[in-house]
Amino acid sequence: MGDKNQQKNLSILTFNTLGTPLFAPNIKNRYKAIGRIINESDYDIVCLQELFMYYHLSIFQKALTSFAYISYQKNPLGPKGGLAIFSKLPLTNTEFTTYSIPKKARFPFHTKLAQNGVLSSTIESFPLRICTTHLTSDIEHNLTPKNIYYSLIQGQSIEAANIFNNYAKDGQSTIMTGDFNIAKHSSFYVEFLRKTNAIDVFAKDETATYYKERLGFYFKAVASSRIDYIFCKAKNIKLLATDHVFVEEEVIGDGKKSYLSDHIGLHCTLSVNE
């Protein structure tokens, strides 16, 4: 895989799977359908969020037979932060950074249980690091200081930016994906880009990635929003294509059709010059 200036394509998917324990509807059948579709795809790297239970992780491990490598950080009930990276390429130097809790910040139970943070690995055959994250969930994606979780989510978005910058220092190519729970054009989004000088791969796209009406679920944000992102900071990467994934209902068992999550997935294809 070798010439010094060889160009190779890299296909990346990020997807919030709607895996909140106990409450998520049709989770077993949805996860089997998601795994089957991903396994039949040409993705190289798949970043998944909300895999909070080891049982749920095992469904994907059984389904994703085309993906020989997986990275996640252990937590008592499942992957820490609900994060996992599946890859057809070897993953090395896996790290997990847990977000800190600002003083006097309101701290919901699900955040304490999940231990939100940033999971990352280097891709052995490419000169870059892939990261994925999931910031604390809230019903407002365009937060104001009046929101009880404002300081918590603001702190997490700042830490995500700092982690991104730390990995990207000295010119190391870095990609950060995930569910940031902050709306495009919000103050937190603008501040993240200002701090990192990163490229939002879907910058020209205003399509929402979270849809409150897609599945019957107790947690619903006030509006559908674009809150999932693929951010890139690299000199040796060229964007070839982007598209949305899991937009339509799919058959999930016994001929029944359902949306696979309250989110849609983001997919991009990159050309990487070694």
Side-chain angles (χ1 to χ4, degrees):
M1 303 185 72
D3 295 339
K4 186 174 181 181
N5 294 318
Q6 182 180 5
Q7 286 190 342
K8 297 183 294 184
N9 292 349
L10 186 66
S11 176
I12 298 173
L13 168 70
T14 183
F15 186 49
N16 181 319
T17 64
L18 181 54
T20 303
L22 303 179
F23 300 107
N26 298 319
I27 189 166
K28 180 179 179 180
N29 288 334
R30 285 191 297 105
Y31 276 15
K32 286 184 176 180
I34 295 168
R36 171 179 53 80
I37 293 169
I38 290 176
N39 201 55
E40 295 171 354
S41 73
D42 60 357
Y43 308 131
D44 299 306
I45 305 289
V46 175
C47 300
L48 299 179
Q49 299 90 45
E50 292 203 9
L51 296 186
F52 293 119
M53 308 289 284
Y54 286 118
Y55 170 65
H56 299 151
L57 177 68
S58 72
I59 295 174
F60 282 99
Q61 289 176 305
K62 291 176 182 177
L64 299 182
T65 56
S66 297
F67 294 76
Y69 306 94
I70 178 176
S71 65
Y72 64 93
Q73 183 74 28
K74 290 184 177 181
N75 215 23
L77 297 179
K80 198 170 188 179
L83 304 175
I85 301 172
F86 288 85
S87 177
K88 294 178 180 176
L89 306 166
L91 299 173
T92 60
N93 303 314
T94 295
E95 297 179 354
F96 191 98
T97 304
T98 306
Y99 292 134
S100 60
I101 306 301
K103 292 182 179 180
K104 299 181 180 180
R106 290 289 294 270
F107 191 39
F109 176 74
H110 62 267
T111 295
K112 184 176 183 180
L113 191 66
Q115 297 290 296
N116 298 71
V118 176
L119 171 71
S120 75
S121 296
T122 54
I123 305 173
E124 189 174 89
S125 54
F126 284 81
L128 63 85
R129 178 173 284 271
I130 184 76
C131 311
T132 191
T133 189
H134 185 196
L135 275 61
T136 292
S137 300
D138 181 72
I139 63 169
E140 295 181 43
H141 298 141
N142 194 351
L143 298 174
T144 69
K146 294 181 180 180
N147 187 290
I148 60 173
Y149 299 130
Y150 179 87
S151 61
L152 176 65
I153 297 176
Q154 180 188 45
Q156 291 179 352
S157 65
I158 291 172
E159 284 190 75
N162 291 339
I163 293 166
F164 194 172
N165 285 337
N166 185 57
Y167 284 136
K169 68 183 180 182
D170 301 323
Q172 180 178 2
S173 297
T174 305
I175 295 171
M176 181 173 280
T177 76
D179 176 4
F180 282 68
N181 274 308
I182 57 177
K184 187 181 179 187
H185 307 303
S186 68
S187 61
F188 291 174
Y189 170 87
V190 172
E191 183 67 5
F192 182 89
L193 291 181
R194 187 191 68 81
K195 283 181 173 294
T196 61
N197 289 317
I199 295 171
D200 177 358
V201 171
F202 286 77
K204 296 180 180 180
D205 196 325
E206 302 296 330
T207 305
T209 59
Y210 166 81
Y211 295 86
K212 64 177 184 176
E213 68 278 0
R214 281 169 69 96
L215 286 168
F217 188 47
Y218 81 99
F219 180 91
K220 289 188 183 294
V222 295
S224 299
S225 306
R226 172 150 180 240
I227 59 175
D228 299 86
Y229 300 96
I230 300 176
F231 294 113
C232 180
K233 196 170 183 178
K235 295 180 179 179
N236 61 337
I237 292 177
K238 180 181 178 181
L239 178 64
L240 298 180
T242 63
D243 68 308
H244 301 109
V245 181
F246 304 128
V247 176
E248 306 295 335
E249 290 182 307
E250 300 286 348
V251 175
I252 64 168
D254 298 327
K256 295 180 180 179
K257 297 186 74 174
S258 171
Y259 292 111
L260 298 183
S261 175
D262 50 357
H263 289 247
I264 63 173
L266 297 180
H267 168 240
C268 71
T269 304
L270 307 171
S271 173
V272 182
N273 189 339
E274 294 189 283

